Amino acid sequence: MNLKNLNAIKILNKLGVKLSNKRFKKLYNLFEKNFDVRSKFIVAVSGGPDSLALAFLTKIYSLKHNLDCSYLIVDHKLRKESSKEANKVKKILLDFDIKAKILTWNGKKPSRNLQAQARKKRYELLFLECKKFKISNLIIGHHFDDLFENFFIRMIRGSGLRGLVSLEKSVKVGEINLIRPLLEFEKKDLTFISNFIFNFYISDPTNNNEIFQRIKIRKILGDFQKIGVDKNKLFLTLKNLKESNQTIKFYVEQNKLSNSIFRKNGEILLNKSFFRQPNEVVFRSFSDSLKIIGGKYYHSRGKKIDTILEKIKKNTLKKETLAGCIIKKVSHTVIISKEH
């Protein structure tokens, strides 16, 4: 047995002592059932209870399955304490042989849509690190409670079916697999793991600031529970919606396969039949095409896409720009190319 494997066994035995706790063992078994990764991966850690629990669960998993994994902490520098907190999280993780690297968001911060911009920058930093080390699996800590917050936020925005069920267990973003293995875990269980293992987690003060829409939704969901609304019933509703979403995705893929051509020069050509499908299929197919050419993480807002699709339908489209793309119509073909 080589030294690396021997050290891994020693560390696993040290960490595995925690598995003797019945509640933790049950939670770890649930995690292992939901985390079917067999190649190296990166874990995003914020310092909150969700991500700290994720860090420990993935560490044990990586040792049991002899996988390479890395841990990244993003310091947004939005609060004066953030750098100190990031270093404290790094130190606490190291006590369990979890070696983390801190990524820093430097430069001027936006004055509007701060949470959305911070989320966008966080993914940008994480994706760059994945690409740098040629690692295709990025693991993030969204959990059971996040499903409902996301659902109600999207509902308030008037999102369609895809937006309402947008937190998938696994989704491909370019060459990166964005994996959420905690979607069956409630917040209280992840808080238990964080306290049980580390006796520590960071409480972000913005989580109590009702100026942010997500915090307002969180409070409403808490009120729902107080009057007896069953989260499991909500989860069943989301499950049914996801199954409907999968059906639409099938026809979207068929439309893209049959009615679009991807050129070597980086253009996508869309024929007449592409736009003769049901409205939702056309909308998603077109949105996907923009995302592919523009290279953006998020899909474009629906209202902007609807405007362009309406012009295509009325045959008034000449040239538009959206999501890093140029959209123009030549004869009966719509051409999407990269905006330079």
Side-chain angles (χ1 to χ4, degrees), residues 235-283:
F235 186 75
L236 182 60
T237 297
L238 280 172
K239 183 176 180 290
N240 291 332
L241 289 175
K242 283 186 177 184
E243 288 176 359
S244 299
N245 188 53
Q246 286 299 120
T247 302
I248 295 173
K249 280 175 72 174
F250 172 82
Y251 289 104
V252 168
E253 293 305 315
Q254 290 295 307
N255 188 35
K256 291 190 292 184
L257 184 64
S258 302
N259 299 311
S260 67
I261 298 172
F262 189 90
R263 281 182 168 176
K264 289 182 180 179
N265 65 357
E267 291 181 339
I268 290 182
L269 308 185
L270 312 177
N271 65 26
K272 286 193 296 184
S273 295
F274 184 95
F275 299 97
R276 289 176 175 169
Q277 311 305 313
N279 289 340
E280 181 68 9
V281 172
V282 173
F283 179 92

Side-chain angles (χ1 to χ4, degrees), residues 158-170:
S159 293
L161 182 58
R162 178 169 64 182
L164 293 175
V165 296
S166 61
L167 284 187
E168 299 281 356
K169 182 179 176 182
S170 179

Side-chain angles (χ1 to χ4, degrees), residues 108-316:
K108 188 177 179 181
K109 305 300 185 286
S111 57
R112 299 179 63 185
N113 298 322
L114 189 57
Q115 284 197 329
Q117 292 300 318
R119 183 167 58 251
K120 182 179 178 181
K121 189 64 181 181
R122 177 165 65 252
Y123 280 117
E124 182 183 312
L125 290 169
L126 292 168
F127 284 1
L128 282 172
E129 202 72 10
C130 287
K131 291 173 184 176
K132 179 180 176 182
F133 292 100
K134 297 181 180 178
I135 295 175
S136 59
N137 299 314
L138 176 61
I139 319 303
I140 54 179
H142 288 131
H143 51 81
F144 190 80
D145 300 63
D146 290 324
L147 286 172
F148 306 117
E149 289 180 16
N150 186 70
F151 176 81
F152 282 101
I153 287 170
R154 295 302 180 94
M155 185 175 68
I156 289 169
R157 290 179 184 169
S159 293
L161 182 58
R162 178 169 64 182
L164 293 175
V165 296
S166 61
L167 284 187
E168 299 281 356
K169 182 179 176 182
S170 179
V171 63
K172 201 166 185 68
V173 182
E175 299 301 314
I176 297 169
N177 302 311
L178 199 61
I179 301 170
R180 302 177 175 98
L182 301 181
L183 291 182
E184 292 187 26
F185 285 74
E186 291 192 60
K187 178 85 171 183
K188 63 183 180 181
D189 289 326
L190 299 172
T191 301
F192 159 75
I193 293 174
S194 186
N195 279 326
F196 177 62
I197 303 299
F198 303 103
N199 193 30
F200 166 85
Y201 62 82
I202 289 173
S203 296
D204 187 342
T206 61
N207 285 336
N208 298 312
N209 191 343
E210 291 190 30
I211 192 173
F212 298 114
Q213 188 181 56
R214 180 171 294 276
I215 309 309
K216 292 176 182 176
I217 294 296
R218 192 169 295 167
K219 184 177 183 299
I220 291 170
L221 286 172
D223 292 339
F224 279 0
Q225 283 186 273
K226 289 176 184 176
I227 61 173
V229 174
D230 189 344
K231 275 189 176 181
N232 290 316
K233 294 290 179 66
L234 283 173
F235 186 75
L236 182 60
T237 297
L238 280 172
K239 183 176 180 290
N240 291 332
L241 289 175
K242 283 186 177 184
E243 288 176 359
S244 299
N245 188 53
Q246 286 299 120
T247 302
I248 295 173
K249 280 175 72 174
F250 172 82
Y251 289 104
V252 168
E253 293 305 315
Q254 290 295 307
N255 188 35
K256 291 190 292 184
L257 184 64
S258 302
N259 299 311
S260 67
I261 298 172
F262 189 90
R263 281 182 168 176
K264 289 182 180 179
N265 65 357
E267 291 181 339
I268 290 182
L269 308 185
L270 312 177
N271 65 26
K272 286 193 296 184
S273 295
F274 184 95
F275 299 97
R276 289 176 175 169
Q277 311 305 313
N279 289 340
E280 181 68 9
V281 172
V282 173
F283 179 92
R284 292 200 195 187
S285 304
F286 189 72
S287 175
D288 285 354
S289 300
L290 292 175
K291 189 168 179 282
I292 290 167
I293 297 299
K296 304 291 185 182
Y297 170 68
Y298 294 106
H299 285 89
S300 300
R301 288 294 175 92
K303 189 173 181 181
K304 293 179 179 179
I305 292 176
D306 282 336
T307 300
I308 292 176
L309 289 177
E310 188 65 23
K311 288 182 179 181
I312 292 171
K313 183 179 179 181
K314 292 180 177 178
N315 202 29
T316 59

Side-chain angles (χ1 to χ4, degrees), residues 11-12 14-25 27-28 48-60 91-98 189-201:
I11 296 165
L12 181 57
K14 176 187 173 184
L15 303 183
V17 170
K18 300 294 184 180
L19 286 168
S20 60
N21 177 278
K22 287 184 179 180
R23 183 178 178 185
F24 180 77
K25 186 175 182 179
L27 292 170
Y28 177 77
D50 324 326
S51 67
L52 285 174
L54 180 64
F56 191 77
L57 292 167
T58 51
K59 181 64 178 180
I60 291 180
K91 183 178 182 299
I92 283 173
L93 290 175
L94 193 57
D95 289 340
F96 291 85
D97 201 53
I98 300 172
D189 289 326
L190 299 172
T191 301
F192 159 75
I193 293 174
S194 186
N195 279 326
F196 177 62
I197 303 299
F198 303 103
N199 193 30
F200 166 85
Y201 62 82

